Amino acid sequence: MSRRPVAVAASLLSVLALGAVSACSSGNSSASTGSAGGTPTVKLMVGGIDKQIYLPYQLAQQLGFYKKYGVNVELSTEQDGGVGAEEAMASGQVDMAGAWYNHTIEFQAKGKAVEDVVQLSGAPGEREMCTKKSGVTSGADFKGKTLGVTDLGSGTDTLTQFLAAKQGVKSSEFHRIAVGAGSTAIAALQNGKVDCVMTTQPTVAAIQKKGVGSSAIDLATTQGATAAMGGAYPAASVLARTDWVNAHKATVQKVVDALVATMHWINTHSAADIANKLPASYVSNQLVTKADYISALTEDKGQFLPDGLMPAGGPKTSLATEKLVGNVKGSVDLGKTFTNDFALQANKTEGFKTTTTPAGPNG
């Protein structure tokens, strides 16, 4: 999700996260140049690495899975006011992006070939957090309200407009502003700058604990997203330029192997197990306690797919969303926006049983 400057201070969680991951090079991509012993190196930027919706990327590192499957993954995180993860990938600053699937559709509409090589979640993992006086219970109530999104043009911005459009409310009938995440999003609610913010865990837990807002719309689990949007909405994934994927298929397979193994690990372990493996600063800080983090993850763990496969119907739901809010007007070849080949091979190699019905070429 693209980042733009916000009027309030940068999120404490983002600052903490920056100390836990490698800095992203601003030069040309150098993936697969190889390191000691011939192990390929991949630069992967995540759209907010400390967010629960994006925990698999760092968890794979903590579990030693990248190393196990023979790839050195240098993780970094996008910052408020900086380039978005998907834009950094598209421009060659990094090799891969930990970002939402919908960006592949937007890129294709702009004539750029980008694809999703492994799907980590079947829901946005977001909640519309609103103050009591807002009176918001659905997108139909957005009219006349001021709504906070991570950034204008981000995935949360698209979803906010979609929830309104589905209820017949035009984007011109409400106001959207960028509030970031973490402490900046909380401050926007506390100070009355916004009526609602669309955000993820652990910010959701912090908002609830402080009593400044509650969940009005649930997009945090596959079940919740299906109820609100009409189908599974594939969100967190790994995106890469198609030309880069074609030139580095063996390396891509190693990254996908590691992340598919991570998804199976998440599916077979508790929220407490997961929290215990993550960096301490992600799960316990000035916004949330570790107990809060575990409770939130227990509630929203259903967003994660167990086998890394793009779910049937997911691409179509995403495309419908993009068209409804006006991000995409022409035709889109969904078959070129994602591939299940790497995830299917990863599951086959490890003997994992798949439970997700995979999307076909038409989504």
Side-chain angles (χ1 to χ4, degrees):
M1 288 178 273
S2 300
R3 299 280 185 182
R4 293 177 186 159
V6 292
V8 286
S11 162
L12 170 65
L13 287 178
S14 294
V15 173
L16 290 169
L18 285 172
V21 296
S22 303
C24 174
S25 169
S26 60
N28 292 330
S29 169
S30 60
S32 301
T33 55
S35 57
T39 301
T41 294
V42 170
K43 294 179 180 179
L44 194 162
M45 181 185 281
V46 182
I49 200 166
D50 57 311
K51 296 178 181 180
Q52 278 193 7
I53 61 171
Y54 289 142
L55 71 83
Y57 311 100
Q58 185 66 45
L59 181 60
Q61 194 82 278
Q62 302 297 115
L63 293 171
F65 285 171
Y66 295 128
K67 182 178 180 180
K68 175 181 177 180
Y69 290 97
V71 61
N72 175 39
V73 175
E74 295 180 354
L75 293 171
S76 61
T77 189
E78 65 178 45
Q79 305 175 54
D80 287 333
V83 65
E86 72 283 352
E87 294 295 344
M89 171 274 302
S91 64
Q93 294 179 49
V94 295
D95 308 303
M96 293 178 154
W100 286 8
Y101 161 72
N102 70 298
H103 293 301
T104 66
I105 295 174
E106 295 171 353
F107 278 126
Q108 187 180 124
K110 297 174 183 176
K112 297 181 180 180
V114 171
E115 62 188 83
D116 176 341
V117 298
V118 60
Q119 189 60 45
L120 309 183
S121 68
E126 306 278 349
R127 291 180 184 274
E128 192 73 39
M129 303 298 293
C130 303
T131 62
K132 286 185 178 180
K133 65 179 182 180
S134 71
V136 172
T137 59
S138 74
D141 303 315
F142 286 178
K143 192 172 184 178
K145 300 297 191 298
T146 297
L147 307 174
V149 298
T150 309
D151 274 302
L152 298 180
S154 68
T156 56
D157 190 18
T158 297
L159 286 176
T160 298
Q161 294 179 72
F162 173 79
L163 291 173
K166 195 172 182 184
Q167 298 296 327
V169 178
K170 299 177 181 178
S171 59
S172 60
E173 295 181 300
F174 58 95
H175 185 49
R176 310 180 330 273
I177 62 173
V179 297
S183 59
T184 57
I186 295 170
L189 278 174
Q190 285 179 315
N191 300 335
K193 189 175 181 180
V194 296
D195 296 291
C196 307
V197 297
M198 183 172 286
T199 191
T200 64
Q201 300 288 6
T203 306
V204 165
I207 290 172
Q208 292 173 325
K209 190 171 184 178
K210 290 177 179 292
V212 297
S214 59
S215 177
I217 303 174
D218 172 19
L219 301 178
T221 64
T222 302
Q223 183 178 2
T226 299
M229 306 181 71
Y233 185 89
S237 62
V238 172
L239 312 182
R241 299 185 316 278
T242 298
D243 62 344
W244 189 89
V245 172
N246 290 337
H248 301 87
K249 287 189 175 182
T251 298
V252 173
Q253 187 65 63
K254 294 175 187 293
V255 173
V256 175
D257 286 347
L259 285 168
V260 166
T262 301
M263 302 317 293
H264 278 276
W265 195 94
I266 290 172
N267 190 49
T268 55
H269 287 75
S270 68
D273 291 335
I274 296 167
N276 287 336
K277 288 293 184 180
L278 291 170
S281 62
Y282 287 27
V283 303
S284 180
N285 46 63
Q286 291 182 12
L287 290 182
V288 292
T289 64
K290 189 172 183 179
D292 293 332
Y293 188 96
I294 292 172
S295 176
L297 182 55
T298 299
E299 185 177 4
D300 292 352
K301 188 166 171 273
Q303 70 190 271
F304 296 114
L305 299 171
D307 40 33
L309 294 172
M310 172 64 76
K316 289 183 179 179
T317 300
S318 188
L319 177 58
T321 303
E322 295 292 322
K323 286 189 172 183
L324 187 60
V325 303
N327 287 346
V328 175
K329 293 183 173 65
S331 61
V332 171
D333 185 347
L334 289 176
K336 293 182 179 179
T337 63
F338 72 95
T339 176
N340 275 322
D341 291 349
F342 296 106
L344 286 170
Q345 182 58 51
N347 281 286
K348 181 179 179 181
T349 297
E350 291 300 319
F352 293 137
K353 180 181 179 181
T354 61
T355 55
T356 301
T357 300
N362 296 322

